[in-house]
Amino acid sequence: MKIGYLGPKATFTDLAVTTMFPFAEKYAYDTIPECIDAVSNGEVELGVVPLENALEGSVNLTIDYLIHEQPLPIVGEIIAPIQQHLMVHPYYKEHWNDVREIYSHSHAIAQCHKFLHTTFKKAKYVYMTSTSAAAKFVSEHPHLPIAAIANEMAAKEYGLEIVKANIHDYDYNHTRFIIVRKQNEELSLQSTLYAGDKTTLMIALPKDQAGALHQVLSAFAWRRLNLTKIESRPAKTGLGNYFFIIDIDQKMDDVLIPGAIAELEALDCTVQVLGSYPYYII
Amino acid sequence: MKIGYLGPKATFTDLAVTTMFPFAEKYAYDTIPECIDAVSNGEVELGVVPLENALEGSVNLTIDYLIHEQPLPIVGEIIAPIQQHLMVHPYYKEHWNDVREIYSHSHAIAQCHKFLHTTFKKAKYVYMTSTSAAAKFVSEHPHLPIAAIANEMAAKEYGLEIVKANIHDYDYNHTRFIIVRKQNEELSLQSTLYAGDKTTLMIALPKDQAGALHQVLSAFAWRRLNLTKIESRPAKTGLGNYFFIIDIDQKMDDVLIPGAIAELEALDCTVQVLGSYPYYII
């Protein structure tokens, strides 16, 4: 199966795709829109792009592009922990404490703020366009006293030695990736990583009024539909007009969710089902 | 007045700071935590970091760092449109259509997807760590047929010629920056950019249960406190536990907001006032 993902090689998106689909034929795309377009025009069957808390992609861009440009259904989600490691060329393995410059993506360096602050008080930080680009640079300069912060896939890809694992400040940090497809067909994966199902809706309120969101949530609350995520996003019309992205922690059913949607539409809300799909934790 | 901001020079954060505080002494910091720390330890009086939809910073990082590490009050907000321009070295001004490579931050290139797709079908894209780094590179290579995508400040800073203004796909795209300070003192700015006041709360629910969020929002709805933003964020304890960031479109008062907070606390929610502050639209 051909799968497109937000590249480059050996980034966190690549790691998620490789863990989830070990036998897939992978294609890296440079931007989120390009990856989604590739699914739309049939170059690849599935596309995997970051949705939340990503190092490499703009989160808002994914939702905006799916809503306004290419309305592809979400057919699955991958939740991956962010684990950052310090790695050096094998030549520097024994004296990694002496490195003078640390290469990585600026967000990765920010995520390891506490570790870096105490361990490398005098090091200089060099920002690269991705964590894997940093690992590549370090591998190509074996005699420079430098280290990279990246994931284990980048260490393997570029032959670096992980000298300090899990140097990120917060253990609870996760990235979410969505899997999009041209047709809304089930993934039918038999994966031990399966962790549950969810349904994602986009809801636009008729106008910005006090309590409007509260009224919308009533439709879910009295049906005991549990919302695990809610996010307001400015609409195309400018500041002050919002739509909401809501995750319900169950599959689309025949009665409850369609009933809530019908009521919301009767209240002049616009509702769009972005997908009802399984999620996997890796 | 000394103001720290998320650098480098001539990025969108710098543009926002310069517009808002034309006479300030500006200091660029490499990461969001470093900028916030600089306010905390007194190096600078105010710090300006992106909160939402930013090109340069990780949004989640700002809120997480303020909640978990350095609880500085938010004393103001700057809302700035994202305007991307195509710029070249003056040497290439007349034949900019012939450029073969376009340099920018990957998010900026993604934001101009439609324009680039139709105007430069064969161009190669080169990713830099920021839009201003791209402008700098183009200015240093006057004889290469290359262009940068960046803001007008970068064009001025590096002596480039804007050959196509406003090439971004969506006009409604804005970035929000917050202003933090060590003490919760009012900014007392007499600015014509003043657009209103808001209060930002962090609310952690006692446990993940159907309708809990609905109950929380009731406390605001019946008081006619209008929420202009609501965002769920995973809590430190891992997947499935959430806290919420809520914006109320008015200043902290003596009765209504304190009353809602007292009720929520009686329901075992944890509530933290992140700030009550004016916002400015530039």
Side-chain angles (χ1 to χ4, degrees), chain A residues 93-135:
Chain A
K93 188 183 166 184
E94 303 300 334
H95 27 261
W96 63 269
N97 271 105
D98 302 335
V99 304
R100 294 206 202 113
E101 290 183 348
I102 294 168
Y103 285 64
S104 197
H105 189 282
S106 67
H107 297 184
I109 287 172
Q111 284 175 348
C112 303
H113 183 68
K114 282 198 268 188
F115 167 79
L116 295 172
H117 203 68
T118 52
T119 315
F120 294 104
K121 285 217 169 91
K122 290 181 183 168
K124 195 186 140 199
Y125 302 112
V126 182
Y127 299 113
M128 306 292 280
T129 52
S130 68
T131 52
S132 79

Side-chain angles (χ1 to χ4, degrees), chain A residues 173-227:
Chain A
N173 230 340
H174 287 75
T175 298
R176 295 173 60 193
F177 302 92
I178 52 167
I179 308 170
V180 294
R181 192 175 205 168
K182 205 167 176 180
Q183 268 82 35
N184 195 2
E185 286 168 38
E186 274 193 43
L187 269 186
S188 66
L189 275 175
Q190 294 299 326
S191 173
T192 54
L193 304 170
Y194 170 79
D197 289 283
K198 64 171 75 170
T199 302
T200 301
L201 305 182
M202 186 282 279
I203 302 172
L205 304 184
K207 54 177 175 169
D208 188 38
Q209 58 177 67
L213 175 61
H214 176 253
Q215 193 184 9
V216 165
L217 295 186
S218 299
F220 299 100
W222 79 258
R223 288 177 171 90
R224 294 200 180 280
L225 291 169
N226 194 23
L227 305 186

Side-chain angles (χ1 to χ4, degrees), chain A residues 37 63-71 236, chain B residues 114 169-170:
Chain A
D37 286 353
I63 282 294
D64 285 352
Y65 204 73
L66 283 180
I67 288 177
H68 300 305
E69 300 294 327
Q70 294 279 14
K236 260 192 167 172
Chain B
K114 281 198 267 188
D169 292 343
Y170 300 113

